[in-house]
Amino acid sequence: MVVNICIPLFCLLFIHIFSHIIPTNSLKNSATPPPLPILPLPSYSQLKWQQREIIMFFHFGVNTFTDSEWGTGKESPSIFNPTRLNPDQWFRVAAEAGISLAILTAKHHDGFCLWPSKYTDHSVAKSPWKDGHGDVVQEFVSAAKRNGIDAGLYLSPWDRHDKRYGNEKKYNEYYLAQLQELLTRYGGIREIWFDGAKGSNAPNMSYYFWDWFAMVKELQSSINIFSDAGPDVRWVGNEKGFAGNTCWSTVNRTSMSIGNASIVEYLNTGDPKGTDWLPPECDVSIRPGWFWHKSEEPKKLSELLQIYYNSVGRNCVLLLNVPPNSNGLISENDSKRLTEFRNAINTIFTHNLAENCLVKASSQRGGKGSGFGPENVLDPDHLWTYWAPNEDDKKDKWIEIRLGNQGLRFNVIMIQEAIGLGQRIQRHEIYVDGKRVVSGTTVGYKRLHWLGVEGVYAKRVKIKVVKSRDLPLISSAGLYFDPYLHPNES
Ligand SMILES: *[C@@H]1O[C@H](CO)[C@@H](O)[C@H](O)[C@H]1NC(C)=O
Ligand SMILES: *[C@@H]1O[C@H](CO)[C@@H](O)[C@H](O)[C@H]1NC(C)=O
Ligand SMILES: *[C@@H]1O[C@H](CO)[C@@H](O)[C@H](O)[C@H]1NC(C)=O
Ligand SMILES: *[C@@H]1O[C@H](CO)[C@@H](O)[C@H](O)[C@H]1NC(C)=O
């Protein structure tokens, strides 16, 4: 409220007490409301998932002991004997790598179950490990809890062992029974993973995905369901860890079928007109294979960083597979590489070089002091504080970071949208000292532009939104220097 300084104190109190009855149009200090959202929006669980950025996959099972990627289903449970199995060690490695969620292959295509399922004897119950009294899923979820990490599970629909496979009704009943075991015995599960892989022996058998998904949501309300078509998280369309250069979190779910190779391009880029919020997850292995093989080595640091820029830096969550070995432990070379990877990310991104810089904008919603100013992009609490331009601003919409008279060297530019209000930016450009260095498309939760080993030296960095669905809302912008990525070394 605006008051004259010569009004006595009791009058001020009076005005204060009755200020709620003053018509709102006279309240000069009331806040400008946030702009309306653009549908679709992420759910609470989807937003939490997105902010994890990197999660982990553990492929483990009979293949670990047979040096294969796809078991035949004829493996004897007697080969499963990880004498030093220690999921606490897996989660120490995961914690050191800064991971907050890890997913275990409870059953892979070979049909061998890592828990003693009462619906089959093809499981750990028939193995020499712990004299058949072991339960890898139980040890996995307990260790996750002890280490403060969330647990997820994969239950392969394709089953090369079970006799019921091929009989549509009987197999779907079996699958659903196992799903119920996994989601009722082991406490809270944060992500469940489904793929559409199918045996050539059952070309006409349908998986009852929608029955399965309904059961999953009934048993665990805060879980995210991953599949080609969601309903919460979608596949990115390849196993290389690369999202599309354009990557929307939105798609039309009804036009998608699970396990259909002709939709991989759609999965990779999403759909600006999509009616469903279904962000992509990039699954890739730290090694050439998904399961552990004695002869294989983890990817080089540069390769992992390239994957990071092309997954997390393209509006995705990176699901990095790190396969435990036949002793039941994560191999030292993998854990060393993961530590290097985490240290590199922390070194590059902990300090925003633009941190204390002045930021200018083309315009600002609600004018000065409205809470929507460009300084919000340097605020580390990024999602819900953002720069919003004035709606009447018909000209170019931009923010400009002033790096001072000395200027700065950087080779990574980061931008984040306030995706809590919908994904909006369709095209953007970045200029350093007036010269265009980036001509990009979508931004979404996070966009990273790597500008080469040398990077650029500049005094001004302008991020211009060329095209967007309604007003662009930028929650973060950052400049960094990455000394680690050397593409020709990967
Ligand atoms: C699958 O369906 C097709 C078309 O209906 C039929 O020709 C084929 O014999 C079926 N295959 C099996 C294995 O049942
Ligand atoms: C696979 O996707 C394409 C493209 O959307 C569609 O035309 C086709 O019908 C789908 N196939 C199946 C088996 O659903
Ligand atoms: C997705 O749905 C919207 C709304 O119905 C439609 O405008 C758009 O064309 C659809 N996208 C595709 C690729 O069909
Ligand atoms: C670990 O990496 C080193 C160096 O690349 C290599 O010499 C060694 O054979 C690897 N160890 C295993 C068990 O693969």
Side-chain angles (χ1 to χ4, degrees):
M1 75 195 112
V2 179
V3 288
N4 196 314
I5 42 164
C6 60
I7 293 174
L9 182 63
F10 68 88
C11 279
L12 275 174
L13 286 172
F14 187 81
I15 290 168
H16 177 75
I17 290 161
F18 290 95
S19 62
H20 63 281
I21 58 167
I22 297 172
T24 46
N25 59 7
S26 73
L27 280 179
K28 293 273 187 345
N29 281 352
S30 62
T32 305
L36 291 172
I38 299 230
L39 299 183
L41 298 182
S43 71
Y44 179 82
S45 299
Q46 287 173 321
L47 214 46
K48 295 266 284 187
W49 165 88
Q50 186 95 50
Q51 290 173 290
R52 295 179 187 275
E53 299 199 351
I54 307 180
I55 59 178
M56 206 173 261
F57 219 152
F58 295 129
H59 272 66
F60 188 56
V62 286
N63 296 341
T64 309
F65 300 86
T66 60
D67 203 22
S68 65
E69 284 286 294
W70 281 7
T72 60
K74 298 192 169 64
E75 294 80 10
S76 164
S78 66
I79 61 170
F80 186 83
N81 197 13
T83 49
R84 294 170 57 201
L85 181 94
N86 181 6
D88 271 305
Q89 186 256 4
W90 309 357
F91 283 105
R92 278 199 297 275
V93 171
E96 186 146 349
I99 268 112
S100 65
L101 168 73
I103 302 172
L104 172 70
T105 53
K107 178 182 93 168
H108 202 253
H109 307 332
D110 53 75
F112 180 79
C113 300
L114 294 184
W115 81 103
S117 170
K118 67 180 174 193
Y119 302 105
T120 181
D121 58 4
H122 195 56
S123 78
V124 284
K126 280 280 153 62
S127 79
W129 177 63
K130 300 202 166 174
D131 292 325
H133 297 297
D135 182 342
V136 183
V137 175
Q138 183 62 64
E139 293 199 20
F140 164 80
V141 297
S142 302
K145 200 166 198 172
R146 279 195 293 275
N147 289 276
I149 293 177
D150 291 327
L153 293 171
Y154 165 62
L155 180 69
S156 169
W158 187 18
D159 191 318
R160 304 183 81 182
H161 176 83
D162 200 85
K163 296 280 178 298
R164 285 160 284 202
Y165 195 82
N167 180 324
E168 187 167 301
K169 184 154 181 279
K170 284 202 155 58
Y171 183 72
N172 275 281
E173 285 175 352
Y174 171 60
Y175 188 89
L176 203 46
Q178 292 204 316
L179 206 50
Q180 290 173 74
E181 282 188 312
L182 291 174
L183 297 177
T184 54
R185 277 193 199 171
Y186 299 103
I189 301 297
R190 289 286 172 267
E191 181 165 337
I192 185 138
W193 228 77
F194 297 97
D195 60 9
K198 217 173 223 186
S200 56
N201 58 335
N204 298 344
M205 187 182 82
S206 294
Y207 297 140
Y208 295 167
F209 282 113
W210 303 104
D211 299 43
W212 304 352
F213 297 170
M215 179 62 74
V216 169
K217 290 285 183 180
E218 180 180 11
L219 297 177
Q220 302 237 1
S221 63
S222 62
I223 201 167
N224 280 314
I225 299 177
F226 169 102
S227 84
D228 289 3
D232 302 305
V233 177
R234 77 175 196 258
W235 185 42
V236 76
N238 64 58
E239 295 183 341
K240 295 193 290 255
F242 277 46
N245 194 16
T246 294
C247 188
W248 291 93
S249 292
T250 50
V251 290
N252 291 337
R253 247 177 68 195
T254 47
S255 67
M256 294 157 74
S257 43
I258 300 171
N260 183 344
S262 60
I263 63 167
V264 293
E265 197 52 41
Y266 190 65
L267 291 171
N268 203 236
T269 59
D271 186 344
K273 295 200 168 79
T275 52
D276 303 286
W277 188 272
L278 195 56
E281 185 169 282
C282 301
D283 56 322
V284 64
S285 185
I286 195 168
R287 287 162 167 245
W290 289 94
F291 285 88
W292 176 81
H293 304 285
K294 197 176 169 39
S295 61
E296 290 184 352
E297 288 284 328
K299 291 179 165 68
K300 297 221 161 59
L301 177 61
S302 265
E303 219 173 328
L304 292 178
L305 285 169
Q306 270 181 325
I307 287 170
Y308 180 82
Y309 287 118
N310 288 295
S311 55
V312 177
R314 285 183 175 176
N315 188 34
C316 293
V317 166
L318 167 58
L319 172 58
L320 184 60
N321 176 65
V322 183
N325 61 28
S326 55
N327 286 325
L329 298 168
I330 306 277
S331 300
E332 205 182 323
N333 282 1
D334 302 60
S335 80
K336 273 192 195 149
R337 187 55 40 80
L338 279 168
T339 303
E340 264 176 58
F341 182 41
R342 172 48 59 187
N343 287 344
I345 291 172
N346 287 351
T347 305
I348 301 163
F349 294 103
T350 302
H351 181 57
N352 183 354
L353 298 171
E355 193 172 48
N356 298 315
C357 296
L358 180 69
V359 194
K360 296 277 187 186
S362 51
S363 69
Q364 174 177 336
R365 179 183 180 80
K368 270 215 167 346
S370 65
F372 298 104
E375 65 281 0
N376 287 338
V377 306
L378 299 180
D379 174 340
D381 163 29
H382 20 73
L383 263 182
W384 295 101
T385 57
Y386 47 85
W387 164 68
N390 188 331
E391 340 220 354
D392 306 323
D393 180 5
K394 294 281 177 277
K395 296 203 205 79
D396 287 347
K397 296 177 179 63
W398 50 260
I399 55 170
E400 185 175 83
I401 305 171
R402 306 270 169 88
L403 299 173
N405 290 335
Q406 299 301 308
L408 279 173
R409 179 168 294 283
F410 54 89
N411 64 357
V412 179
I413 301 172
M414 186 269 292
I415 316 172
Q416 296 191 280
E417 271 186 82
I419 57 162
L421 292 161
Q423 188 179 349
R424 297 159 180 249
I425 298 174
Q426 289 169 289
R427 282 205 292 127
H428 67 284
E429 289 172 347
I430 302 175
Y431 297 82
V432 299
D433 291 343
K435 182 169 164 276
R436 190 171 73 194
V437 293
V438 170
S439 189
T441 54
T442 48
V443 173
Y445 169 71
K446 187 175 271 189
R447 184 75 203 227
L448 295 170
H449 293 290
W450 181 72
L451 305 178
V453 174
E454 298 295 322
V456 294
Y457 192 87
K459 294 179 182 172
R460 286 178 297 133
V461 179
K462 183 188 255 186
I463 299 170
K464 185 167 127 188
V465 180
V466 181
K467 191 170 179 222
S468 71
R469 299 171 63 223
D470 210 305
L471 293 178
L473 306 175
I474 297 182
S475 62
S476 268
L479 306 175
Y480 306 92
F481 194 84
D482 173 355
Y484 304 100
L485 175 55
H486 294 280
N488 41 13
E489 280 173 23
S490 45

